[in-house]
Structure formats: C-alpha cells, structure tokens
Amino acid sequence: MTFRLTPSSPGWDTVAGSHHWLREVETYGKNAYVNGLLHLIEERHPAHVFDMGIGNGFPFASSLLEKNIRVDGCDVSDFLLEDLRKKYPSVRAFHTSYEHIGDHIGIERYDVAYCLRTSWYLPDLFSALAALRALTKPGGTMVFDTMNSASPQVAQFKKQMRWKKYRELVTNALKWVLNNVARKNYTYRTSGATPHYPVAMETVDAFLEKQNLPYQKLTFSQVSGTSHDFDPHDFRIVYLATVPETG
C-alpha cells in the first residue's frame, strides 16, 4: 500500500476546513494505518479514552464505541462537533483546544489518551503532549503520531505547501487588480494552506525521556503492516508512552 502526502486545506477551526475534513475522511478514513492504530489502542483494553482532535468522531471514536469503550474528546471545530453529537450522542465532547482542556475535564483521567493524525497541525506539540499526559491516568498510555522532519516525503510535501501558498498569493493579487480596475467582484481566498509542523524524532524522544515516560516507537509502515523494520526516515512516527504508576 502507498500513501501520498498532499497539501491540506483551510484550518480545521473554520467552516471551510471542517467541510474539507468531512471530504477527506471519505478518501482515507479507515485504512490499514487507522486499523493498526485502533489495534494498538484496543489491545490495552481501555474502558475510557480521550480523543484530542476528535473531529466528527470518524474513524477513531466511532470504532472504539463499537467496542463498548467510552469516549471523551475535544476539538476546535464547532461544526465537526455538531456532527459528532448528532451521530454519537454518548460521546462527551468539548469545544476547546489542548491549551484549555484541563479546565473542562477536572479530575477525570483516562486509560488511553490519544492524538492521532492531528499533531502536525499543532504549533506547540510539546504543550499538547503535556496536556495529553495530564489526561492519562497512572499506568495508562498516551498514543500519538508525528510528521517526521527527517523524511524525504515530508521535505517534498513542504515544497508543495510553499508553492501552494505562492499560487494563492498571486491569485489574490490578480483578483485585487480585477476587482479594483475592472470592477469585478471576485472573493479572496485568505485561509491559506494549513500550516504543518513536522518534528524531529530525537526531539520527541528527548521530551518523553525528560518526562520519565517509557515509550515505544513504530513507523507508519509498521503500523500499516507493510514492513517489520523500523525506518527512521518514514514520514510518520507513532509513539506509545506509558504514564508511570504513582508511589
């Protein structure tokens, strides 16, 4: 199986970005990689999990609910959460970001807290990971994946993103000229390509070690079942970090 990185669309906190996500899940929603991630979560036999960046619940929350696992989550898109609540009313979902989720959760802690296919949209990954750890009960597991900055695929993807931003800038400039000179009424696309934040694997390793969190690393290919070997240049790295028991 091959997986092709493509430049993303407007930010998920916008209506346009939310509609884009609903289209995206139809394309790559529940594939071998997602099934592999779900297996990593399910084999820990959690009773209660937290989904950071839950969106409209597909594919992770919906699949875990089918296994009678309780799901809570948060997202910055009210549009996606509205769709989630209609489809999965048992999910307790919060319209907030990782910076403020602690204000909503209180003392609740989870067997597994995960942030999947989301971390590369977060400008401060390590603050998000600190929030994820705070949500995880002692003995529980944090599960997250990252966009690997050492990957040639990611380097090519970043070039595509720069070109997309340049084309958008030129297009908006032409629209401005036509609107002001030829009295046209073109609308500007101001959302831009969603920023992506690849991260070095060594930086994530160092963060987890500093936090005294034992962890396991897998690649996209390993989770998808297409390779048994760990390739440090794979475009996506999956982490499973255990929060130590207290005392």
Side-chain angles (χ1 to χ4, degrees), residues 12 41 49-55 60-61 71-76 81 92 94 96-102 105 110 112-122 124-136 142-145:
W12 310 127
I41 294 172
V49 302
F50 189 90
D51 186 331
M52 183 179 288
I54 194 170
F60 297 106
V71 181
D72 292 354
C74 70
D75 204 276
V76 295
L81 290 178
R92 188 172 64 145
F94 303 94
T96 189
S97 65
Y98 59 85
E99 294 100 331
H100 305 293
I101 187 58
I105 293 299
Y110 299 87
V112 173
Y114 60 88
C115 180
L116 298 170
R117 301 198 312 193
T118 299
S119 76
W120 40 89
Y121 302 116
L122 307 178
D124 186 355
L125 170 64
F126 299 107
S127 291
L129 294 183
L132 206 64
R133 178 184 178 169
L135 293 168
T136 309
M142 301 162 50
V143 185
F144 62 95
D145 52 359

Side-chain angles (χ1 to χ4, degrees), residues 66-188:
E66 292 175 358
K67 303 288 185 179
N68 296 316
I69 297 170
R70 292 171 58 203
V71 181
D72 292 354
C74 70
D75 204 276
V76 295
S77 170
D78 196 38
F79 176 86
L80 293 177
L81 290 178
E82 182 179 348
D83 189 48
L84 166 76
R85 293 180 181 115
K86 290 177 182 177
K87 294 177 178 176
Y88 313 109
S90 66
V91 173
R92 188 172 64 145
F94 303 94
H95 182 213
T96 189
S97 65
Y98 59 85
E99 294 100 331
H100 305 293
I101 187 58
D103 299 335
H104 298 267
I105 293 299
I107 63 172
E108 186 75 65
R109 296 296 177 266
Y110 299 87
D111 302 306
V112 173
Y114 60 88
C115 180
L116 298 170
R117 301 198 312 193
T118 299
S119 76
W120 40 89
Y121 302 116
L122 307 178
D124 186 355
L125 170 64
F126 299 107
S127 291
L129 294 183
L132 206 64
R133 178 184 178 169
L135 293 168
T136 309
K137 65 174 55 174
T141 305
M142 301 162 50
V143 185
F144 62 95
D145 52 359
T146 64
M147 181 180 281
N148 182 12
S149 62
S151 166
Q153 281 181 273
V154 171
Q156 179 60 33
F157 173 71
K158 290 172 67 178
K159 290 181 181 179
Q160 292 174 341
M161 291 292 287
R162 287 193 294 269
W163 174 239
K164 182 175 182 178
K165 289 182 179 181
Y166 172 76
R167 284 187 300 172
E168 184 175 289
L169 179 65
V170 171
T171 300
N172 283 339
L174 289 173
K175 287 179 178 179
W176 185 91
V177 171
L178 292 171
N179 287 347
N180 287 274
V181 176
R183 301 304 180 190
K184 301 295 184 179
N185 191 31
Y186 292 110
T187 58
Y188 301 108

